[in-house]
Amino acid sequence: MSKPSRVSSARPGRLSVGGTTYRLTNGTAQSPATRPIVIGAGVAGLCSAIGLLECGLDPVVLEQRSGNKLEGGAGINCQAAAIDALATFGVPIETMKENGRVIKKQSYYTPDGRHVSSLDKSGKGDTPGQIGIHRATLVKLLLDVAKSREIDVLFKHHVSSIDQTSNPNAITVRSEIRSNSIPL
């Protein structure tokens, strides 16, 4: 009688062996020990994770805050190149327009209110020259992309140490799972 297999593929693109799940990238399984770790689920962290996935790697994002605590921050003025880059990462330009504000003209003034200069920000083609969008809104849009591409984003994971001294060919990242209340 054959032994039951401990290998399953419950999710497309994933392989489970003995309780450990591997993502299949480029037809091969990537061990959790060799996965790139991105620290922080802000705009840069999520864009990095999406870019790593597009390169055939299986990143995991560690974020110290809980998902509902990512609402802070100020507005961001995304220039045309950033708008195009976000579109290649999966945030459609129309979605950015709907969730932000297209800026057609940018003016500069002296502290006493005299006009110094104005810049045309109308853009070229379908891409506006500039979109102002709240940071939390942009993070939510990027989290939606990460979720749709099955990128693991782990909330409440505080990175407590990073060590590369014990083995120059490996980096060890230690994180602690934090409760809802984080002492200040």
Side-chain angles (χ1 to χ4, degrees), residues 66-86:
S66 62
N68 61 353
K69 299 287 184 192
L70 293 173
E71 298 173 0
I76 299 174
N77 284 331
C78 297
Q79 304 296 323
I83 295 166
D84 286 335
L86 287 163

Side-chain angles (χ1 to χ4, degrees), residues 90-134:
V91 180
I93 293 172
E94 284 306 312
T95 302
M96 287 191 66
K97 287 180 183 178
E98 292 165 8
N99 288 278
R101 180 180 175 140
V102 175
I103 298 169
K104 296 180 181 174
K105 180 179 173 183
Q106 187 171 355
S107 297
Y108 297 93
Y109 297 88
T110 63
D112 62 357
R114 288 181 293 123
H115 182 261
V116 175
S117 177
S118 292
L119 299 174
D120 177 18
K121 293 290 186 170
S122 57
K124 293 182 174 80
D126 293 334
T127 304
Q130 186 171 337
I131 296 177
I133 189 167
H134 194 275

